[in-house]
Structures are given as C-alpha cells and as structure tokens.
C-alpha cells in the first residue's frame, strides 16, 4: 500500500527561459483530490494533455521522499502525481505499473526520467536542482482511462 500525496494539473508551463528572469505569470498548478486520466493522452486539463511532443511523457510522477529535505508544498515540484512509499525513480524505461486509488487500476508505462531543471533552485531552495538529480521523478504515458484520487493506493509492477 502506498499513498498518493498530491495530484496536480497545470494548464500552462510557467518555467521557461532563465530562472534569473523569474517565472512568467501562471495560473499555477492546481491541486486536485482527483484527476481523470485518458489512455495515450494524459491528465484532462493538464498542459501536456494530447500534446504531440509529450504523448509519451504526458504524466509525471515524483516520490514524496525526494522532496522531504525541504518543507515545501509538493506543488512546487510541478509533477502531476506525488506518491509516498513508491520509489518511482528506480523504475526502468519501459516498465509498466498500475495504480488503484479506489476506482480501478490505471496502468502507466515509464518512458524517461523527469529530470530537474535549474528552476528548482528558485522555487524549492538553493541546491535543490543538484540534490534532485536522479530523484526528479519519471515521465509516463497512461495505458488506460481511469481516475486517480489522493489517499491510500495500491501499486502493482506489471512488467519491466
């Protein structure tokens, strides 16, 4: 049993350009208690939903433990799904896992790491960019339609 700590949907990408210029105006990622996931498309309402350049990386995950050194809102990491008790960074490319938060399992295929960027030093804390290398999460494609909710969840590694 793991926990989905937070679910985030961000309609726009605020961190473009140089961190020294500051983020552009952003309605910000919105924290949700539940999100709708669509196979091959992503999370409904998110900036990467059905975006051709991100179809294989539309949903991002990060382990809450990666953020524990800083007492920050997990929203600042700008990952869609924040989980506790599941080391997402240990999953290899091509791995398939499912999450079931009460509405049935939703499978995801790992495509690549969600590497941190220099913005992490600005929005989390100085040194976060370097500290999150190798622990910045993963980018996945959803394989099923479904719903994810915050709270206790079951994770199953389906294949690797």
């Amino acid at each position: 049993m793991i926990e989905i700590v937070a679910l985030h949907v961000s309609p726009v990408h605020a961190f473009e350009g140089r961190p020294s210029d500051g983020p552009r105006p952003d309605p910000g990622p919105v924290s949700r208690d539940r999100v709708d996931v669509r196979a091959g498309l992503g999370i409904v309402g998110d900036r990467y939903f059905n975006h051709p350049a991100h179809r294989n990386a539309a949903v991002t995950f990060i382990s809450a433990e990666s953020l524990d050194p800083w007492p920050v809102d997990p929203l600042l990491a700008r990952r869609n799904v924040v989980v506790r008790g599941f080391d997402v960074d240990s999953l290899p490319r091509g791995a398939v896992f499912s999450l079931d938060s009460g509405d049935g399992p939703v499978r995801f295929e790992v495509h690549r790491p969600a590497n941190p960027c220099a913005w992490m030093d600005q929005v989390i804390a100085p040194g976060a960019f370097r500290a999150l290398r190798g622990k910045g999460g993963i980018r996945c494609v959803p394989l099923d339609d479904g719903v994810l909710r915050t709270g206790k969840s079951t994770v199953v590694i389906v294949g690797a």
Side-chain angles (χ1 to χ4, degrees):
M1 189 67 76
I2 67 161
E3 180 182 6
I4 296 177
V5 175
L7 295 166
H8 303 130
V9 176
S10 184
V12 299
H13 190 66
F15 300 133
E16 294 177 340
R18 294 177 298 200
S20 61
D21 295 336
R24 69 181 199 184
D26 177 12
V30 178
S31 186
R32 302 261 175 93
D33 293 332
R34 74 180 290 271
V35 293
D36 294 310
V37 178
R38 295 292 172 259
L41 301 175
I43 294 177
V44 176
D46 191 69
R47 68 192 180 277
Y48 294 133
F49 182 81
N50 198 27
H51 193 281
H54 293 279
R55 284 227 179 88
N56 288 332
V59 180
T60 56
F61 288 80
I62 192 168
S63 298
E65 291 84 356
S66 295
L67 301 172
D68 282 348
W70 308 280
V72 296
D73 183 338
L75 194 70
L76 295 176
R78 297 187 68 87
R79 302 296 188 254
N80 298 119
V81 184
V82 182
V83 293
R84 183 168 296 285
F86 179 33
D87 181 10
V88 299
D89 295 298
S90 69
L91 296 171
R93 290 177 191 223
V96 176
F97 66 95
S98 71
L99 282 178
D100 187 343
S101 57
D103 293 282
V106 181
R107 293 175 305 138
F108 296 90
E109 183 177 8
V110 178
H111 277 268
R112 63 180 189 259
N115 295 318
C117 65
W119 281 99
M120 297 299 102
D121 285 348
Q122 298 293 320
V123 298
I124 292 179
F129 170 52
R130 177 168 281 168
L132 285 171
R133 288 183 185 162
K135 298 187 286 182
I138 55 175
R139 296 183 179 278
C140 301
V141 61
L143 301 177
D144 303 306
D145 289 352
V147 172
L148 294 179
R149 297 176 188 275
T150 56
K152 297 295 180 194
S153 184
T154 303
V155 64
V156 175
I157 308 298
V158 179

